[in-house]
């Protein structure tokens, strides 16, 4: 069983001119794919090999001896989530219940946009800016370094923006503020965020088999029986993330994706992954 790279939910040129096809070609096809490759290499033959991506992340978080596994698993999750946080002809203000929550919890859209941009721009070095639902149900803005993510704090991710340089450097060079503002204005997928808010995101773990509960929309976790009929794999709704994991003999498949940057991963990348960046 292995993690594999997901398809983008849009064509590589669909986000132009805000994000170029060349950036997505490298970001998705090279960087993200390298995380997947390295994660599979690291978990092969270990207790983590048959775990869900979420379980790998939560069980290795904070363990220095498992930092390389956590970094690659976290970056796989983060990127798989991030692709759905973007959409062509999107951005601007949300509507409906999410807009009401932003008004009540974050002081309105204009304040949210200002504070979210500040979090993204001031994240030192590599990392992520997030809109989350906290354990108390209130919305909050977070920023995390490197591969860290809200899942490790028990919070539900609604949206994220990648502020690793590989996310924007080909198009914006060192102008991270311009990249973040463009995402806010033209690409942020509020429909996806609303579905995550309504469904409970990755923190919702149903106990019944996946076949009885497949639903569309949101970042819902679903139980999928493994090849041996034993431990279940928690997956996100296929329309939202399409995390899949291969099972023997072509039985049930869950497709997960991961990739790897050379920075801060706690382990060196394979030669093939380095060659990709040359």
């Amino acid at each position: 069983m292995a993690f594999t790279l997901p398809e983008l939910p849009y064509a590589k040129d669909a986000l132009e001119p805000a994000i170029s096809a060349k950036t997505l070609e490298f970001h998705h096809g090279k960087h993200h794919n390298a995380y997947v490759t390295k994660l599979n290499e690291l978990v092969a033959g270990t207790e983590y090999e048959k775990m869900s991506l979420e379980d790998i992340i939560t069980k290795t978080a904070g363990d220095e001896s498992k930092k390389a596994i956590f970094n690659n698993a976290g970056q796989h999750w983060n990127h798989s989530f991030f692709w759905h946080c973007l959409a062509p002809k999107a951005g601007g203000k949300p509507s409906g219940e999410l807009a009401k929550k932003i008004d009540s919890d974050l002081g309105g859209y204009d304040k949210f946009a200002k504070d979210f941009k500040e979090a993204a721009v001031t994240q030192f070095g590599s990392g992520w800016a997030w809109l989350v639902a906290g354990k108390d149900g209130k919305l909050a803005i977070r920023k995390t370094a490197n591969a860290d993510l809200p899942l490790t704090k028990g919070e539900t991710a609604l949206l994220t923006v990648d502020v690793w340089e590989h996310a924007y450097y080909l198009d914006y060079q060192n102008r991270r503020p311009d990249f973040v503002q463009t995402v806010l204005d033209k690409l942020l997928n509020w429909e996806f965020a609303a579905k995550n808010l309504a469904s409970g995101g990755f923190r919702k773990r149903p106990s019944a088999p996946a076949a009885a509960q497949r639903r569309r929309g949101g970042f819902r976790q679903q139980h999928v029986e493994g090849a041996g009929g034993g431990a279940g794999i928690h997956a996100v709704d296929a329309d939202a993330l399409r995390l899949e994991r291969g099972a023997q003999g072509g039985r049930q498949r869950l497709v997960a994706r991961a990739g790897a940057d050379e920075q801060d991963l706690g382990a060196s990348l394979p030669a093939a992954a380095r060659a990709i960046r040359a």
Side-chain angles (χ1 to χ4, degrees):
M1 294 179 22
F3 293 106
T4 57
L5 184 70
E7 298 275 343
L8 287 171
Y10 31 71
K12 285 188 177 70
D13 62 355
L15 305 183
E16 290 186 332
I19 296 177
S20 67
K22 179 61 72 175
T23 287
L24 284 182
E25 179 182 341
F26 276 88
H27 194 179
H28 172 262
K30 312 298 184 183
H31 292 275
H32 188 176
N33 188 55
Y35 293 119
V36 179
T37 301
K38 189 62 179 179
L39 179 61
N40 285 327
E41 177 186 317
L42 291 169
V43 302
T46 72
E47 62 184 296
Y48 305 106
E49 187 173 21
K50 294 182 180 180
M51 288 185 186
S52 70
L53 187 61
E54 302 87 8
D55 285 345
I56 292 173
I57 290 167
T58 56
K59 290 180 183 297
T60 59
D63 186 342
E64 281 297 311
S65 70
K66 302 295 189 298
K67 186 175 181 180
I69 294 175
F70 172 81
N71 282 337
N72 285 279
Q75 284 292 80
H76 168 41
W77 195 105
N78 292 347
H79 282 86
S80 298
F81 185 84
F82 175 57
W83 306 132
H84 293 272
C85 294
L86 308 175
K89 300 178 181 179
K93 296 182 179 180
S95 59
E97 186 61 29
L98 181 56
K100 294 177 183 178
K101 290 282 289 179
I102 288 175
D103 287 343
S104 62
D105 297 348
L106 300 176
Y109 175 79
D110 290 342
K111 188 174 187 307
F112 156 78
K114 176 180 178 293
D115 293 345
F116 187 89
K117 181 178 180 180
E118 181 178 0
V121 170
T122 59
Q123 169 54 43
F124 184 76
S126 301
W128 304 79
W130 305 84
L131 174 63
V132 306
K135 294 179 182 179
D136 59 1
K138 291 186 177 180
L139 302 189
I141 294 168
R142 303 282 189 245
K143 58 182 177 179
T144 61
N146 301 319
D148 201 8
L149 62 161
L151 180 62
T152 63
K153 317 297 190 300
E155 296 180 322
T156 300
L158 305 183
L159 282 175
T160 194
V161 173
D162 186 351
V163 292
W164 284 66
E165 282 193 341
H166 64 237
Y168 59 86
Y169 204 83
L170 290 178
D171 299 325
Y172 296 86
Q173 287 76 53
N174 65 336
R175 295 179 290 113
R176 184 190 288 185
D178 292 349
F179 166 69
V180 176
Q181 189 64 55
T182 299
V183 172
L184 284 166
D185 292 343
K186 298 181 179 180
L187 299 178
L188 211 55
N189 188 350
W190 287 113
E191 181 180 354
F192 178 64
K195 289 177 180 178
N196 292 328
L197 179 64
S199 68
F202 263 10
R203 291 168 56 213
K204 186 172 185 178
R205 293 184 174 242
S207 58
Q213 344 177 18
R214 286 202 182 276
R215 290 175 288 204
R216 299 198 175 274
F219 234 44
R220 303 168 191 241
Q221 293 205 358
Q222 299 171 335
H223 180 85
V224 178
E225 188 176 309
I233 300 166
H234 284 87
V236 177
D237 181 85
D239 280 356
L241 180 60
R242 296 176 59 203
L243 278 178
E244 303 168 1
R245 213 161 175 187
Q248 280 185 344
R251 289 184 63 188
Q252 294 205 21
R253 296 176 59 86
L254 233 147
V255 176
R257 286 121 157 158
D261 275 87
E262 293 175 333
Q263 305 177 40
D264 303 317
L265 291 182
S268 61
L269 293 177
R274 289 201 183 94
I276 277 168
R277 294 178 178 76

